[in-house]
């Protein structure tokens, strides 16, 4: 019997395919990251059984407990790719460096240095996206637009990190023009980075409410929580 989560995943995949085709982009050029913050291991397992392999988490303590439990679970092959996408404080970097495959929320050098120094030597390099404060709102996470290229240059030389791209959460707005302008700014920055860093391949933008617009503007990875797992309240 199909559960709710698998129905939701099928629906989200259809929306991604439709938006991708509409934008004249190749099939499979947009990856789906399931955002499982505040959701149970059972919910993650359901999504896994429906084929999802990439999961995003926001809270260090909560996510480490779930990752450990899932890694011990014999029903699942150990092939989940874990993305840390939440705000990261420096006293939590060690846990993140030793449990995650990606960190999408790097916005300052102090965090990058710590992740680099704390990445276990036997692990593959940690994949990094720089979080950009594209709406330039005060008190919002993310590097300022004027700082991103400098940050990219510094991150790119750290041996245990690999710079893969950029991530943003746009300003909350119902205005499509405002939203598209921010996504377009991200896309232009992504193109600039790709010219200097050939390994850069990830433009992480688009959530439940704006995935179509993000894909139209060039997103290569949408991060979907609510429309897969239901509301978090
Ligand atoms: C929670 C969250 C998402 C998912 O948001 P939904 O609107 O539930 O799809 C995506 N990205 C980040 C960084 C988040 O914190």
């Amino acid at each position: 019997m199909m559960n709710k989560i698998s129905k939701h995943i099928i629906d989200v995949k259809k929306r991604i395919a439709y938006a991708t085709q509409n934008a004249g982009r190749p099939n499979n050029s947009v990856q789906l990251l399931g955002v499982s913050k505040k959701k149970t291991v059972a919910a993650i397992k359901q999504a896994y059984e429906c084929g999802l392999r990439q999961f995003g988490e926001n809270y260090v303590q909560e996510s480490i407990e779930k990752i450990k439990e899932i890694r011990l679970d014999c029903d699942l092959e150990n092939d989940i790719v874990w993305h840390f996408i939440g705000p990261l404080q420096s006293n939590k970097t060690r846990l993140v460096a030793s449990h995650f495959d990606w960190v999408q929320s790097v916005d300052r050098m102090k965090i990058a240095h710590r992740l680099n120094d704390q990445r276990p030597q036997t692990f593959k390099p940690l994949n990094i996206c720089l979080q950009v404060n594209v709406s330039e709102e005060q008190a919002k996470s993310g590097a300022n637009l004027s700082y991103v290229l400098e940050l990219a240059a510094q991150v790119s030389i750290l041996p245990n990190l690999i710079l893969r791209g950029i991530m943003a959460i746009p300003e909350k707005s119902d205005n499509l023009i405002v939203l598209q302008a921010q996504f377009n700014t991200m896309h232009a920055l992504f193109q600039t980075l790709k010219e200097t860093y050939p390994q850069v391949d990830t433009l992480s933008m688009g959530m439940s409410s704006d995935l179509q617009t993000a894909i139209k503007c060039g997103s290569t990875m949408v991060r979907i929580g609510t429309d897969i797992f239901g509301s978090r309240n």
Side-chain angles (χ1 to χ4, degrees):
M1 200 185 80
M2 269 223 288
N3 58 53
K4 256 193 189 153
I5 288 175
S6 52
K7 284 203 187 92
H8 289 170
I9 290 175
I10 290 166
D11 181 57
V12 165
K13 283 185 174 169
K14 277 187 196 162
R15 284 162 61 198
I16 293 172
Y18 180 76
T20 306
Q21 198 173 54
N22 248 3
R25 300 179 52 198
N27 283 341
N28 301 320
S29 54
V30 180
Q31 296 184 55
L32 173 56
L33 180 68
V35 176
S36 46
K37 64 184 174 204
K38 296 189 178 171
K39 298 297 171 180
T40 60
V41 164
I44 294 172
K45 283 181 74 172
Q46 285 186 5
Y48 180 92
E49 275 149 24
C50 195
L52 209 59
R53 290 294 179 273
Q54 304 208 75
F55 292 89
E57 288 280 344
N58 288 58
Y59 309 106
V60 176
Q61 209 56 51
E62 173 198 320
S63 60
I64 302 295
E65 280 166 25
K66 291 193 286 188
I67 290 172
K68 281 185 178 163
E69 187 178 334
I70 287 173
R71 289 205 169 127
L72 290 172
D73 192 318
C74 301
D75 296 346
L76 282 71
E77 259 178 80
N78 193 2
D79 60 351
I80 292 182
V81 179
W82 293 101
H83 296 242
F84 189 79
I85 63 173
L88 183 51
Q89 291 163 340
S90 51
N91 62 347
K92 301 277 175 62
T93 50
R94 186 179 298 281
L95 281 167
V96 170
S98 53
H99 288 85
F100 281 84
D101 305 292
W102 288 66
V103 180
Q104 296 199 13
S105 47
V106 171
D107 60 2
R108 54 196 191 276
M109 269 322 285
K110 183 181 182 189
I111 297 295
H113 275 301
R114 291 178 67 91
L115 290 171
N116 178 68
D117 294 345
Q118 294 167 346
R119 183 69 169 170
Q121 284 303 317
T122 54
F123 287 27
K124 288 184 193 153
L126 186 59
N127 298 288
I128 299 293
C129 286
L130 306 178
Q131 184 173 353
V132 181
N133 181 3
V134 68
S135 54
E136 309 206 284
E137 292 165 275
Q138 289 204 342
K140 189 161 169 183
S141 318
N144 287 332
L145 281 164
S146 59
Y147 177 52
V148 176
L149 293 183
E150 187 187 327
L151 185 59
Q154 292 186 44
V155 166
S156 70
I157 58 174
L158 297 177
N160 301 321
L161 306 185
I162 175 162
L163 179 65
R164 296 293 297 272
I166 48 177
M167 181 273 264
I169 306 167
E171 185 184 337
K172 270 203 172 69
S173 167
D174 296 330
N175 187 336
L176 204 61
I177 309 281
V178 171
L179 191 62
Q180 283 196 20
Q182 292 177 24
F183 285 150
N184 286 334
T185 299
M186 286 294 288
H187 187 246
L189 188 56
F190 177 57
Q191 297 293 357
T192 303
L193 283 174
K194 283 211 297 189
E195 283 166 21
T196 313
Y197 310 102
Q199 78 280 14
V200 164
D201 58 4
T202 303
L203 177 54
S204 172
M205 59 186 195
M207 314 193 337
S208 293
S209 61
D210 57 15
L211 78 90
Q212 278 98 334
T213 309
I215 290 171
K216 186 177 163 194
C217 298
S219 167
T220 72
M221 185 182 287
V222 291
R223 309 180 307 270
I224 309 299
T226 309
D227 284 0
I228 291 177
F229 295 105
S231 89
R232 288 179 292 269
N233 295 317

